[in-house]
């Protein structure tokens, strides 16, 4: 079985979800719901999972919601970008708490893994 193919999903402390458990996933899944219930957060959690929490995938998610803005400067370097990401990463956590006050880490995976 492919490591990225999920038969279930468990998400903790990510965006709209303090805890989300989906016991059974199929090869194709339909996501529906009212506005602001977490459909995009669910898709973002899957994107982070599929990209193994890569710096690039996290930056893309934050940028898509205008939560991460890179300064427009020729002197801007990788360490500046990492600092900007570190200051905005709190937006990925449920409740958008400051990092030093987070009760637990973000966890995304199958129910068996998370």
């Amino acid at each position: 079985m492919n490591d990225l193919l999920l038969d279930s999903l468990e998400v903790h402390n990510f965006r709209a979800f303090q805890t989300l458990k989906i016991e059974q996933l199929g090869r194709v899944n339909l996501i529906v719901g009212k506005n602001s219930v977490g459909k995009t957060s669910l898709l973002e959690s899957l994107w982070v999972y599929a990209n193994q929490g890569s710096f690039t995938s996290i930056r893309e998610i934050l940028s898509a919601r205008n939560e991460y803005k890179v300064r427009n400067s020729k002197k801007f370097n990788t360490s500046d970008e990492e600092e900007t990401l570190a200051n905005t990463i709190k937006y990925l956590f449920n409740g958008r708490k400051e990092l030093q006050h987070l009760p637990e880490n973000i966890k995304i995976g199958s129910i068996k893994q998370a």
Side-chain angles (χ1 to χ4, degrees), residues 30-86:
L30 179 64
I31 302 167
V32 296
K34 294 181 179 182
N35 289 340
S36 299
V37 296
K39 297 179 301 291
T40 301
S41 293
L42 174 60
L43 294 174
E44 289 173 340
S45 72
L46 292 170
W47 181 251
V48 169
Y49 176 81
N51 288 284
Q52 301 174 344
S54 75
F55 176 83
T56 302
S57 65
I58 291 169
R59 184 182 59 215
E60 288 172 355
I61 287 170
L62 292 168
S63 294
R65 290 200 190 198
N66 293 318
E67 295 167 335
Y68 175 83
K69 295 179 182 171
V70 177
R71 291 183 303 182
N72 210 0
S73 168
K74 292 180 182 178
K75 295 180 182 178
F76 193 75
N77 59 41
T78 303
S79 64
D80 290 336
E81 186 172 11
E82 289 171 359
E83 183 179 339
T84 300
L85 182 60

